[in-house]
Amino acid sequence: MTSPKGSRAQKLKLPTLTRKGTLEVPSPTEKDWSKDDEEDWVFKGPDQEQDSLPQPYRMINKLVNFLFDHSWEIIEERDASRKAELSRIQPTIYPPLLESKLNKMPNCMAISQDYVFIGGTKGFSIYNLYNAKRIYVWEKLKVDVTYIWATDLGSEILIASVDEMGIIRLFYFYKDGLYLIKAINEVDDTSKQTTCIKMEISEGGDFAAFLLQGAGDIWLDVYKLPKESWLKEVEHPQLTINPKKKVRQLQLNTLDPVTADNLEMDINISFRGDVKLSLPVYIMKIKPPKPVVGTTFKSPLEVFAKIEDCCGLGSGQNHFIKDSQWERQAAIFNATFRKYLDGEWEEELLSMAAFHFLLPSCIIAMPVEVKSPPGVACVIGVHWTGSHNFFLYSLNRTLKDKVDPEGVWPCAAPIVVSQLSCCCSYLVLACEDGVLTLWDLAKGLSLGVIALPERCFCQSIHFLKYFLVHKGQNMYPEGPVKSQMKCVVLCTDASLQLVAATGTQRPTLSVLVERPVKHLDEAICAVAPVQALPGMVLIFSSNGSVHLMDVAKPQIVCAFAPPRSYHLAVPWKPVFVVSLHHPCFLLRGDHPDEIGSASQAEDIPNSIFYFNFEAYPLLEQISRNCTIPQANVLDDTTFPQVLPLEERCENFFQKRFRKLVKNKVKEQEYWTRLRRYSSLLQRENLNK
């Protein structure tokens, strides 16, 4: 025990000044004394001089000091980034041209012709693209519409919507009438209800494919769309109306026409629920490929007999490898890479599919008797999750025909992303190892193979309409361009790459945006090409900013933003749509003051903002003067690769011929002048 006197003595100890570091003998002259001598002394208590803090207070002291030091580093970093942001040149920010206020939250948007289709609560609405006014609303569902597509069929529009239950509905919009064609996967028994995960409509609207899921299985349904019959049936509706036929109550809840009390109409659009249109024709069901297992064939002759018609050649299903060989190979693999295979295996995910409708071309082998009209899809290409193969299925079949692929394109690694260009001429397959394979489907040749940078993997691919840089400005060449393609690749690390391929030359890869390291809020989450502006793409960042980038330079041209009272509620998943045939794009904005107070998502006030590129001075001239005449392309020696080989050869011989003719004329003029000069000399000599 300690005595009270000792305790009192400890209380009476006075603090002392202690010199930091080791003690040194001071210099004899005062000139050499340190001017900051006072800073070398610290104020310490006598107890602190004798011993340090006991545990656990010493550990707490270290943690508090570390917390303060780390906080100060964050403060300094934020201050430096703020100064760098202020010193950086900010792009011009353009506000929206029009605003369409909505009472309910829109989930998706689509543009076709002069109309905007917005899917939301219990249905979808139709708006005028030019004045942003609502002209019709169809709200007859009990759930929300989550996805919507609109395909231009010429004078009519095919609309496809998917609701929260995964039920897909096809609509036909013609002049002033809206018609429901069919709910593709709707059934009476809810226990047998399937869910639509993905869909695709061919260019021109001749075929449609729906990826469905149900009862632990997944498959792809392909339909042929009778669009010629639809046009006849809507032009002559009296031929299809059957007033004696009673409609079921389930259909009445969906097909009742909407009253005009809550509409702001510019034109008179009516829902024609009494007109029955021809149903899509179901042609085939494609299932995921079976896993490769040991052979069931007893001899190689059976294998060759199986692949006699070459259907499915390359899929790996027909082989002569036995189960024992598979097991032996698996044992060797597991023994070699055991340290990498230790640990829990992840649960195998349900297989997904990506699919595209392909036009007739040299690269797709079709039977001689099959003749597809030009511009109409003849093949659907499919690849499944974890599969190395890209399967090709002919669309010229019926439901009774056996579903076997007419062709298989194997890749060295599993295919993760595939993308078809808008003109259906180019296809890019991105594999799991970051390798891209570029195909020219129209010419039937490969444009090359190129690999992304190390540890950089493909997330999405976006095709650009091919452009040239003429006198510092991006221009579209007039006339068709063959075997020339450019696309931007958004990678999983939020970097952006530009891939360009030209004929048989080696494809090139250039970095547009580096992977963000310090400013993670600037990570790119979505990219959209702008057809109205050559070589331009819209970049959506995680912080809610929207920039327009010129990929040829590359640099930011300008930025777009809604009014300050609005922002993007989910900036990493923006709701937007870019028009392919109009110089504009639409963006959904949410009111920040109402998000927290709203009881439900549909109660949040939202707006759709219209941005027109031709309304901004910086982009107006680019949008209106974006093509270069063919003559300028021919005269410019930097663009010879734009033209096909035949035209290049023809232009070369024409220039050569003109040059020879010009030289021949000059030669004739030379000899003529020489004769005149010699005759003049002879006359002068005679006169002398």
Side-chain angles (χ1 to χ4, degrees), residues 149-287:
W149 291 266
T151 303
D152 188 0
L153 302 181
S155 59
E156 61 272 22
I157 300 174
L158 178 63
I159 308 168
S161 65
V162 179
D163 59 24
E164 291 179 324
M165 300 297 294
I167 299 176
I168 184 165
R169 293 175 175 84
L170 294 181
F171 295 86
Y172 191 75
F173 183 42
Y174 178 70
K175 292 184 178 179
D176 58 349
L178 181 65
Y179 308 84
L180 175 64
I181 300 172
K182 183 184 179 182
I184 297 295
N185 57 332
E186 187 177 23
V187 294
D188 296 334
D189 189 358
T190 55
S191 61
K192 298 180 181 179
Q193 180 65 57
T194 58
T195 303
C196 180
I197 304 175
K198 192 177 181 181
M199 68 157 292
E200 191 78 28
I201 299 177
S202 66
E203 186 71 19
D206 296 282
F207 297 92
F210 309 100
L211 185 63
L212 302 178
Q213 176 184 352
D217 198 6
I218 190 169
W219 65 93
L220 183 65
D221 283 346
V222 184
Y223 290 82
K224 182 176 176 60
L225 305 179
K227 62 178 186 177
E228 292 82 6
S229 301
W230 293 340
L231 185 58
K232 295 178 181 179
E233 291 164 356
V234 297
E235 288 180 346
H236 307 284
Q238 67 274 10
L239 302 179
T240 57
I241 295 178
N242 189 0
K244 297 181 179 180
K245 187 174 181 180
K246 295 183 179 180
V247 185
R248 296 165 51 194
Q249 184 66 28
L250 180 63
Q251 292 177 334
L252 283 175
N253 293 337
T254 306
L255 305 182
D256 283 343
V258 182
T259 60
D261 297 337
N262 58 345
L263 300 181
E264 302 172 5
M265 291 189 178
D266 286 343
I267 58 175
N268 186 18
I269 296 179
S270 60
F271 181 74
R272 304 296 301 275
D274 54 348
V275 179
K276 182 180 179 182
L277 302 183
S278 299
L279 300 179
V281 181
Y282 187 33
I283 59 176
M284 65 175 159
K285 180 179 181 179
I286 303 175
K287 295 184 178 180

Side-chain angles (χ1 to χ4, degrees), residues 2-14 46-47 50:
T2 58
S3 62
K5 185 181 292 186
S7 301
R8 198 179 304 113
Q10 291 178 357
K11 293 180 181 179
L12 294 176
K13 288 181 179 180
L14 299 175
D47 296 332
Q50 295 177 2

